[in-house]
Amino acid sequence: MSMFKTIQSNPGVITIFHNVHSQLSKSLLTKLQQSAKPYHQQVSSKHQSILSKVLHGNSDSESKSPLEKYTIEQINSGFPTYDQLKLIKSFVNSHPSSKTTFIDVFPKFIDPKVLESLNGANKYNFNISDLKIPDEMEINELLNTDYEKLLKDGWFKPPLVIDWDNSLIANNEFTLDRILKHYSAENHSNGD
């Protein structure tokens, strides 16, 4: 989480470009929602400790729960903007699996000749400079294209999860778990 957000006590934002027709996407969204729950759940007044009642008062209704670990921005049937794509591309350097995620989600953003020159396990052993995001006008055209056509034509293969504060992207359970490690209670208590 960024220092500014921590000082403000605001949770970070994780965006999911969600494909409502994909079971994987539904699974990632559910996992994000479950993991966003606060570190310490508050309980009703009948379960409050004596110290808690003295410090926070005694109420008959549920106490306000603390902020969630992060806020989920769910985008259904949407495509990233040009500025978002530039930022997402910059995240490719943050972790080796981000390279894989990027090219799996945006397969047309790398020259097919580069992919042909790489074999099997080395498929993702390319240079970041090989990734080419279309110019802003082309991205605006894609944004105005029917979502199903974007999927069919291979421009976008969601789900795509973006942790803006930690510069990480995910498109499967393994890469999402890497993101969620940043929001575990252990990391939170250590200030990581």
Side-chain angles (χ1 to χ4, degrees):
M1 198 175 296
S2 71
M3 183 167 35
F4 187 64
K5 287 189 183 296
T6 301
I7 291 170
Q8 291 180 334
S9 297
N10 287 334
V13 174
I14 294 181
T15 300
I16 179 168
F17 284 89
H18 179 51
N19 181 348
V20 297
H21 304 294
S22 163
Q23 192 57 44
L24 173 61
S25 193
K26 291 174 188 175
S27 174
L28 296 183
L29 178 59
T30 299
K31 191 170 196 170
L32 274 173
Q33 291 167 333
Q34 291 171 347
S35 297
K37 293 177 182 165
Y39 299 105
H40 305 287
Q41 293 285 348
Q42 301 266 342
V43 295
S44 66
S45 62
K46 60 184 164 191
H47 299 296
Q48 284 181 322
S49 69
I50 294 171
L51 179 59
S52 178
K53 287 178 183 178
V54 169
L55 292 175
H56 304 292
N58 186 7
S59 71
D60 293 330
S61 62
E62 291 286 317
S63 300
K64 288 186 177 178
S65 62
L67 290 174
E68 291 185 326
K69 296 176 193 176
Y70 49 83
T71 301
I72 301 169
E73 176 189 27
Q74 180 180 335
I75 300 173
N76 297 328
S77 305
F79 189 76
T81 65
Y82 179 71
D83 289 333
Q84 287 173 326
L85 284 168
K86 288 192 313 184
L87 193 54
I88 294 165
K89 180 184 174 193
S90 75
F91 295 170
V92 170
N93 288 322
S94 66
H95 194 277
S97 67
S98 292
K99 201 181 218 187
T100 305
T101 298
F102 188 90
I103 204 62
D104 285 347
V105 174
F106 303 109
K108 290 198 173 193
F109 289 4
I110 188 166
D111 185 340
K113 293 175 188 170
V114 172
L115 285 179
E116 287 174 17
S117 69
L118 303 170
N119 300 345
N122 294 327
K123 177 181 175 186
Y124 302 105
N125 192 18
F126 56 85
N127 294 320
I128 305 305
S129 61
D130 293 327
L131 296 176
K132 303 293 184 212
I133 293 176
D135 66 33
E136 191 168 6
M137 188 187 301
E138 290 173 296
I139 293 299
N140 286 336
E141 287 176 22
L142 290 173
L143 287 166
N144 291 319
T145 301
D146 177 69
Y147 180 73
E148 295 301 323
K149 183 169 174 39
L150 283 175
L151 299 180
K152 182 181 175 192
D153 292 349
W155 281 104
F156 190 39
K157 295 187 178 186
L160 174 61
V161 177
I162 307 155
D163 179 352
W164 302 104
D165 287 343
N166 292 302
S167 305
L168 295 170
I169 57 176
N171 69 330
N172 58 43
E173 297 280 345
F174 175 75
T175 53
L176 180 60
D177 286 343
R178 180 176 38 81
I179 286 175
L180 295 178
K181 284 180 185 178
H182 290 271
Y183 297 92
S184 69
E186 181 179 293
N187 282 340
H188 181 72
S189 62
N190 293 333
D192 292 342

